[in-house]
Amino acid sequence: MFKQKKRVDANNFCQFCRTRHCKGRSLGLHPKKTFNRSFSMRLTRYFLPVLKDTPAEASIASHRLMLRAGMIRQASAGIYSWLPLGFKVLRKLEDIVHEEQIRAGHIPMLMPTLQPADLWRESGRYDDYGKEMLRITDRHGRDMLYGPTNEELITDIFRNSVNSYKELPKTLYHIQWKFRDEVRPRFGVMRGREFFMKDGYSFDIDEAGALHAYNRHLVSYLRTYERMGLQAIPMRADTGPIGGDHSHEFLVLAKTGESEVFYDRAVTDMKLGDRVVDFDSVEQCQAIFDEFTTPYARTDETHDEALFNEVPEDRRMSARGIEVGQIFYFGTKYSKAMGAEVVMPDGSRKPVEMGSHGIGVSRLVGALIEANHDDNGIIWPESVAPFGAGIVNLKQGDSAADAACEGLYQALTKAGIDPLYDDRDERAGAKFATMDLIGLPWRITVGPRGLKNGVVELTSRRTGETEEMSPEAAVDRLTQIYANV
RNA sequence: CGGGCUAUGGCGCAGUCUGGUAGCGCGUCCGUCUGGGGGACGGAAGGUCGUGGGUUCGAAUCCCGCUAGCCCGACCA
């Protein structure tokens, strides 16, 4: 849709996702034209059905705002259509997840939403999963199900294609719709029945390898969330009947979170930042894992009061959190049950060591809004904003204002900012309210009054601070801001 | 799965108790005046009152069944 300026520098920043050492280009993840996530738009041509009133069914901020901002519409309980604005954000999150998975050396693929029941009978989960699993019978009377997760399917693929230890390790992942027939869906996309999730599956020859995969995922997840402008804290999670210490959940702190969490305040000061990570380095991944998991951080499920009390009192925090991801090492649970084995150097056969690792992509949209909103609406971080900036024409039909807006629209589009130009014949107040509601991080306000002095206004949605400057300076400023996102 | 509640135009609601012409605000459409935080005036469109049955001369309203949705809790990415 637009030509990105070439950016090659010593740090090897990717010119598309603007992060270091991105492998996305070579893997085709950064196509030159991206039609469903990166484009400018004139509001009169877009589909943005915003609501002035809050629909009665929405009780929490993210649900309310997603409905009001025209991001989603409910199709039935816990099942949503993603309208253009919501879809754009969802795709941006998906891109970030892909980029960070590729960077960590994981391999993208795609599995179907419908799966044969037989595979689940092999693992024993067809009966264990209960009513949460949506079961379907096809015309031949064959038992099918809408996948709530994909361990069985990926293990089946693996066992049919991999025979030797030489082919390990491998981590395969996909980002796909899942369905869990929740008893009580609620909170909009935060607890839907249908949800969009990245789920990755690691295969290793031994426990040490599997634990490196585990650590590698933890590190890559840290960066994934940070790039979205979120602080997600890895917390020791309940491993359930499988046992062991190897599961962590990533929690975003938010008042409306469903989980009660306890942590050492030190964890909220930690950041992976843009340090260069060698994901093949066992030592480095282990060191980062240790760094981020040593301070106390647990959900109520694993909370240990005695241990918690060893944290200095002024750093002991309790809060609520939204779970946006989980990593899990479960060893040979599925490989044994389903016969996923490799031949070892000595000729023996060994079930592979597995782990599964998930990021709730659709839930993240809700979590982001929970963490970033005010009374007027959403406040998107730059990295996930559906449009980089909004252009508000205060007097549609005024030739100077129209021309200035048009010029800004072209220039911002060319700079890759993806502006949304509110060219409706509406009053200023209505335009401001819409912009605040949909939460674009920057707004350029253009009116005849300012234009007489050659200036427009650049306003930050987050701080509300407004600066007057020439249109050219505004474009430069935004280009600068987005170059570092 | 336990407990509570709701269903009337695109959204928010009144009307139901006490049966009788479906109503209000917002939004939408057209026009005029406007023009820096959801403006004013005039006009218009839009509803089998969730659904099936029953009572009645007559049902949004009363009775029975069903469905969908929301909230609290237990469960879960």
Side-chain angles (χ1 to χ4, degrees), chain A residues 178-355:
Chain A
K178 307 287 185 294
F179 195 92
R180 294 184 190 172
D181 201 357
E182 295 275 342
V183 199
R184 178 151 105 82
R186 65 191 116 165
F187 305 147
V189 299
M190 299 249 288
R191 173 161 303 287
R193 291 196 292 171
E194 188 182 49
F195 58 99
F196 200 49
M197 180 167 103
K198 170 260 158 184
D199 44 324
Y201 304 90
S202 59
F203 299 90
D204 286 271
I205 50 172
D206 54 23
E207 183 177 345
L211 288 177
H212 175 235
Y214 184 88
N215 294 345
R216 197 174 62 229
H217 276 89
L218 183 134
V219 175
S220 72
Y221 281 21
L222 288 172
R223 194 199 299 267
T224 302
Y225 297 121
E226 281 184 19
R227 277 189 59 194
M228 297 171 182
L230 273 181
Q231 177 158 50
I233 303 167
M235 300 198 180
R236 178 177 294 209
D238 198 0
T239 50
I242 298 161
D245 290 338
H246 304 298
S247 182
H248 280 82
E249 294 176 335
F250 285 77
L251 277 293
V252 171
L253 299 179
K255 287 187 282 291
T256 44
E258 290 192 82
S259 317
E260 192 174 10
V261 300
F262 303 87
Y263 61 95
D264 179 339
R265 206 181 58 207
V267 297
T268 54
D269 296 331
M270 295 196 294
K271 234 180 166 310
L272 188 66
D274 61 358
R275 65 181 99 168
V276 176
V277 177
D278 176 0
F279 284 96
D280 291 329
S281 164
V282 172
E283 297 72 27
Q284 195 187 5
C285 289
Q286 183 69 51
I288 296 173
F289 173 88
D290 292 342
E291 176 187 342
F292 279 84
T293 58
T294 300
Y296 188 92
R298 296 190 181 196
T299 65
D300 51 359
E301 287 173 348
T302 52
H303 183 53
D304 182 327
E305 199 66 37
L307 264 179
F308 188 50
N309 286 335
E310 290 173 17
V311 177
E313 194 172 354
D314 63 322
R315 297 202 334 235
R316 260 180 251 158
M317 309 292 287
S318 73
R320 300 201 65 84
I322 301 164
E323 189 191 335
V324 293
Q326 182 161 18
I327 53 177
F328 210 115
Y329 162 61
F330 49 70
T332 56
K333 178 181 161 108
Y334 298 95
S335 53
K336 265 187 184 155
M338 298 179 65
E341 299 175 334
V342 290
V343 178
M344 299 299 284
D346 63 2
S348 63
R349 300 184 67 84
K350 189 178 177 191
V352 292
E353 295 278 333
M354 293 175 59

Side-chain angles (χ1 to χ4, degrees), chain A residues 91-157:
Chain A
R91 284 288 180 240
K92 289 207 158 190
L93 297 185
E94 185 185 4
D95 282 351
I96 291 175
V97 172
H98 267 304
E99 284 159 10
E100 295 307 323
Q101 288 300 302
I102 299 286
R103 192 201 308 278
H106 305 159
I107 309 162
M109 63 180 295
L110 184 61
M111 287 177 267
T113 52
L114 295 181
Q115 304 179 22
D118 286 345
L119 286 177
W120 288 68
R121 292 199 174 99
E122 269 191 69
S123 72
R125 285 210 293 182
Y126 192 65
D127 295 324
D128 292 350
Y129 224 94
K131 286 187 162 183
E132 286 219 337
M133 184 151 74
L134 180 64
R135 293 150 206 262
I136 299 162
T137 308
D138 71 12
R139 67 195 298 166
H140 305 295
R142 190 173 179 204
D143 291 332
M144 310 287 289
L145 56 96
Y146 195 124
T149 175
N150 284 61
E151 280 84 3
E152 283 79 359
L153 199 50
I154 193 74
T155 304
D156 180 56
I157 292 166

Side-chain angles (χ1 to χ4, degrees), chain A residues 360-381:
Chain A
V361 181
S362 51
R363 172 180 286 185
L364 269 167
V365 180
L368 273 159
I369 295 172
E370 289 299 326
N372 297 287
H373 71 272
D374 62 18
D375 291 345
N376 295 326
I378 303 166
I379 307 172
W380 293 113

